[in-house]
Amino acid sequence: MTVVAMSHGELSRYDTLLRFDRGELRVEDAAMLLGVCRRQVYRLLDRLHTDGPEALVSWKRGRPSNRAFKEDLRTRVLDLVRQHYHDFGPTLATEYLAERHQITISHETLRKWMIQAGFWKDRDARRPRPYQPRYRRDCRGELIQIDGSKHWWFEDRGPQCTLLVYIDDATSELMHLQMVESESTFAYMEATRQYIERHGKPVAFYSDKHSVFRNAKASAARGDGMTHFGRALDALNIEIICANSPQAKGRVERANATLQDRLVKAMRLEGISSIEDANTFLDSYRTRHNERFARPAFHARDLHRPLAPHDDLCSIMVWREQRTVTAALTLHYNKAMFILEPNDVSKKLARKRVTVCEYPDGRLEIEHEGHVLPYRQFDKMRQVNQPAIVENKHLDAALMLARQMQAIMPHHRKRNNDAPARRDQPMHMFPEPEPPAKIDRRKLGGSKLKRGPRLSDAELRERGTLRFVQRT
């Protein structure tokens, strides 16, 4: 069976010719309906009798237009656009093609060619994706949206910092606000601990795909793909959900925009210029904000759960990593060596795994099956001079740490390009200064920033210049 593709006009012509052939129409009426002369009506009827209905299909179908540009010209134009005007729009590209290459074509023709070649997208393809609104959750405490907003909260009175915002999805109520230096795991752990102590455990947190909440590549050391913050929430039976786009958690994003306007001006009137003063002021401001913007939930039930008897927030909100104890009862963590004090428990741990717990306040504990092992730090760290790997959200903190380290770093001839490098020069006769004691600095956002000799904690406190940056 042969399938013939015909347009509506060709089908109408076929029906008119059949009616004329059956004697239902006069030749004058058929000519008027077809829009042709009498002689052409007979020609079409003869063609229909000879070749069938497919003889009425236009012979130009499937053939290039007589007015079309040659394929060589199209190939040449697309090559020029690919080489010189790949980021130009069709209108601008036609102007430069006429000016520099003496090729005159319309911008609509070039637009069609560029769309077919994949160099340009039409308006429908460039239209942003629509994000449909969704209903609020029914109950308070069912879904808490969390996010960090980096902004000049103190304007020119203080440093740029980050505000951690916890907002209820059902009521748009600001549940918790805390000002921190940057978004880090320890910052979220401390803020979440304060939130749970005040309100209880929510059903779920809704966040973006920041590395604090989601481990895109499962680490071989941990193996489960969970972050330290996610593991702490799992121990508390709190779900963490990551949004695929900022629009999905629009409630907290809109709250950030409101706070960047209203909170900044409120702190300006109060003369607040430090993170400590801001955290003291945020409780009263949060109450005022909720009176203005919060709304009642669909159901009056509160889904926050109290802490279970076995829930110890201080021992859950910690950074935990596994380490292997050597035969000499030592282990390495954070570029430092720790020596376990020999006792009945630690002597049995050779070649076994222990847990290193790092608390938000800087304390470090080594545990094994619920036992806290006494240890001492062996101050022998290897110098690491390799480029730092820092996430975008931690770049400011990394630069601040680098500047503070450079300010307190003593002069060393090996760190200057103009210093003598040969042993036969007079400088080698003077003994090199002994490097100061090294300290166990907190890692910055998973970076590898370890430069220069490390000072003791007492020396750092005396100088008062280096602030510890929390690790994420």
Side-chain angles (χ1 to χ4, degrees):
M1 179 182 295
T2 303
V3 178
V4 180
M6 303 179 70
S7 64
H8 289 286
E10 293 165 348
L11 287 173
S12 176
R13 174 176 293 185
Y14 176 64
D15 180 67
T16 302
L17 290 175
L18 288 180
R19 293 172 60 191
F20 170 66
D21 191 29
R22 293 193 300 264
E24 298 176 5
L25 292 175
R26 298 183 305 166
V27 64
E28 292 82 2
D29 297 335
M32 183 181 63
L33 292 174
L34 296 177
V36 296
C37 63
R38 292 167 50 98
R39 294 173 59 87
Q40 184 64 19
V41 173
Y42 288 108
R43 294 193 190 99
L44 292 175
L45 186 59
D46 293 341
R47 192 185 302 170
L48 177 62
H49 291 160
T50 304
D51 299 327
E54 60 269 18
L56 301 179
V57 177
S58 176
W59 293 355
K60 295 185 295 184
R61 182 172 301 170
R63 297 182 180 180
S65 173
N66 295 332
R67 299 182 180 181
F69 290 99
K70 295 183 178 180
E71 188 64 25
D72 295 342
L73 177 63
R74 181 178 182 274
T75 303
R76 180 188 174 195
V77 168
L78 291 179
D79 289 341
L80 291 173
V81 171
R82 184 184 297 106
Q83 295 175 8
H84 306 288
Y85 315 114
H86 59 91
D87 57 346
F88 285 37
T91 303
L92 183 59
T94 54
E95 297 177 4
Y96 278 95
L97 287 173
E99 177 183 347
R100 304 182 64 179
H101 306 281
Q102 291 74 45
I103 299 177
T104 303
I105 56 175
S106 68
H107 61 273
E108 288 299 332
T109 300
L110 182 59
R111 188 190 313 275
K112 181 178 66 175
W113 290 354
M114 293 176 65
I115 291 175
Q116 293 174 354
F119 300 157
W120 187 255
K121 294 182 179 180
D122 58 4
R123 184 170 298 178
D124 292 338
R126 287 184 282 114
R127 184 176 292 116
R129 169 192 168 188
Y131 291 91
Q132 299 293 329
R134 63 171 177 83
Y135 287 105
R136 299 171 177 267
R137 307 310 301 175
D138 294 336
C139 302
R140 184 174 182 266
E142 185 176 358
L143 184 67
I144 306 298
Q145 298 189 16
I146 57 177
D147 191 29
S149 177
K150 182 181 178 182
H151 188 63
W152 290 98
W153 294 102
F154 309 123
E155 298 174 310
D156 56 351
R157 305 184 307 277
Q160 189 179 22
C161 54
T162 300
L163 178 66
L164 302 184
V165 181
Y166 291 63
I167 185 171
D168 187 81
D169 187 82
T171 62
S172 292
E173 177 185 357
L174 291 181
M175 307 298 291
H176 185 69
L177 297 175
Q178 184 164 339
M179 199 76 70
V180 295
E181 291 185 354
S182 63
E183 284 189 82
S184 64
T185 299
F186 284 142
Y188 275 107
M189 283 183 175
E190 180 63 22
T192 304
R193 183 188 62 81
Q194 296 181 18
Y195 174 93
I196 295 176
E197 289 177 348
R198 174 179 297 176
H199 304 287
K201 299 187 295 184
V203 176
F205 284 120
Y206 197 41
S207 68
D208 54 14
K209 292 186 286 189
H210 191 270
S211 59
V212 173
F213 313 108
R214 181 176 182 270
N215 188 3
K217 185 176 181 180
S219 173
R222 295 188 291 272
D224 54 4
M226 295 181 65
T227 63
H228 295 278
F229 183 73
R231 188 176 294 105
L233 294 184
D234 182 69
L236 294 170
N237 195 19
I238 301 175
E239 188 71 21
I240 181 71
I241 304 173
C242 295
N244 195 38
S245 64
Q247 291 81 359
K249 53 185 186 67
R251 214 168 310 284
V252 69
E253 296 290 350
R254 290 188 294 270
N256 288 338
T258 303
L259 292 171
Q260 289 177 5
D261 178 40
R262 290 173 171 255
L263 179 58
V264 169
K265 296 173 182 176
M267 290 193 297
R268 181 201 305 164
L269 296 177
E270 298 293 333
I272 296 175
S273 58
S274 66
I275 293 179
E276 293 77 11
D277 295 340
N279 287 327
T280 304
F281 170 75
L282 285 176
D283 283 339
S284 60
Y285 176 83
R286 183 175 55 83
T287 304
R288 229 177 342 130
H289 181 97
N290 292 336
E291 293 175 356
R292 172 68 175 82
F293 295 103
R295 56 175 294 176
F298 291 135
H299 297 288
R301 185 176 54 171
D302 193 344
L303 296 184
H304 283 100
R305 299 160 294 166
L307 287 171
H310 61 274
D311 289 337
D312 185 6
L313 292 179
C314 294
S315 61
I316 292 177
M317 295 294 180
V318 296
W319 184 289
R320 297 178 181 272
E321 290 193 14
Q322 298 288 326
R323 291 294 185 270
T324 301
V325 180
T326 65
L329 299 183
T330 63
L331 59 96
H332 294 269
Y333 177 75
N334 195 16
K335 303 298 180 182
M337 179 185 291
F338 297 91
I339 302 177
L340 300 180
E341 297 294 337
N343 54 33
D344 296 339
V345 178
S346 61
K347 288 181 180 179
K348 303 176 183 178
L349 298 179
R351 308 300 183 187
K352 293 185 179 180
R353 305 282 284 180
V354 296
T355 303
V356 181
C357 302
E358 191 173 357
Y359 291 84
D361 58 2
R363 291 184 296 115
L364 197 73
E365 289 184 354
I366 302 177
E367 297 180 354
H368 179 72
E369 296 181 353
H371 298 281
V372 178
L373 306 175
Y375 69 90
R376 59 187 175 91
Q377 181 175 343
F378 184 62
D379 196 16
K380 182 180 181 182
M381 299 184 189
R382 182 175 56 188
Q383 185 72 20
V384 179
N385 292 317
Q386 56 185 356
I389 302 175
V390 182
E391 292 185 3
N392 183 35
K393 291 190 175 183
H394 304 294
L395 183 58
D396 292 343
L399 292 176
M400 179 186 66
L401 177 62
R403 288 196 299 267
Q404 293 171 346
M405 290 177 59
Q406 293 170 1
I408 66 175
M409 186 180 299
H411 177 78
H412 197 286
R413 67 177 186 85
K414 291 185 178 180
R415 298 190 183 96
N416 295 275
N417 295 331
D418 55 350
R422 293 173 54 90
R423 281 294 178 181
D424 56 354
Q425 296 188 12
M427 182 61 68
H428 82 278
M429 300 175 61
F430 296 92
E432 296 180 3
E434 292 293 330
K438 302 172 183 178
I439 63 173
D440 181 12
R441 301 180 302 166
R442 306 286 291 279
K443 291 184 179 178
L444 176 61
S447 69
K448 301 176 182 177
L449 186 61
K450 304 287 179 183
R451 294 175 180 164
R454 295 165 175 77
L455 305 180
S456 65
D457 294 342
E459 291 173 331
L460 287 176
R461 283 193 292 269
E462 292 177 1
R463 294 174 183 258
T465 56
L466 178 58
R467 288 184 296 176
F468 290 109
V469 181
Q470 290 183 342
R471 171 183 180 179
T472 58

